[in-house]
Amino acid sequence: MIRAPSLLLILGAAPAVAAEYVDDGPYAHRRSLILFAGPGATYTERISGSATASGFAAQLDLGVGLTVGYDQDEVFLLVRGSSGGGPGEELALIGGYRSVFGSESWQTFFDLGASVRPISGPWLGPRIGFGARHTLSDHFALYGGLGFTFGFGSGLRADTEVFTGLQWIIPVGSAS
C-alpha cells in the first residue's frame, strides 16, 4: 500500500522526470579558437632621454584568441610588426581580454590588455581598444577599431592605432 507522503513525492517528481533537459545556459555555446590577421596604422609619440620621435607607421597583426565566458568574450595574443615613420621598425606582443557586446551579426567590443615591445626599447604598458565586428558566417568575421597604448621603460611613449582584420573562427569543443 502506498502512503500519502510517498504518493505526493511520486506525483511531484513525475513532471521533472518527463521534462526534457535542455542546456541553454551561457556555456552551451561551443568554445572556439580564433585566428586573425589584418593591417593597420599607428601614430607614435615617444621620449627616450633627450631624444624624441614621432610619426606614422604601417602595421600587420597576426594573432590567436580563445572564446571564454559569456557572449563570445575572448582572450587573445597577437604579434604586431610595424615599419616606417619616425618610430622605425618595431615588434610588439599584445595580449588581453576582449569583451564582446551584441548577439546579432554586428557586435561591438572593448579590449583591455598589455603591450610589450622587447626589441625597440624595451617598452611595457597598458592597452585599451574598442571597435566593431561583423560576422560573415559561423566561421568568418571582419573587425576594426581604435586602440591606445602607453609604454614605460626606455622613456615614455604613447601609441594611437587603427586596426582592421579578418577572424577565422574554429569550433574546438563544448564549454563545460
Side-chain angles (χ1 to χ4, degrees), residues 33-36 61-68 72-80 93-100 109-115 127-130 133 143 161 163 167:
L33 176 69
I34 301 167
L35 303 176
F36 54 93
D61 294 343
L62 299 172
V64 62
L66 183 66
T67 58
V68 295
Q72 300 176 347
D73 291 352
E74 307 166 9
V75 291
F76 66 90
L77 179 63
L78 69 92
V79 175
R80 172 174 289 160
L93 301 173
I94 299 171
Y97 183 83
R98 177 170 286 171
S99 186
V100 179
F109 61 84
F110 179 77
D111 294 348
L112 186 58
S115 174
R127 178 186 177 276
I128 59 171
F130 57 92
R133 174 170 69 186
Y143 67 94
E161 63 194 54
F163 56 91
Q167 291 183 324

Side-chain angles (χ1 to χ4, degrees), residues 106-127:
W106 281 99
Q107 301 170 326
T108 58
F109 61 84
F110 179 77
D111 294 348
L112 186 58
S115 174
V116 177
R117 296 179 188 272
I119 298 171
S120 64
W123 308 90
L124 171 67
R127 178 186 177 276

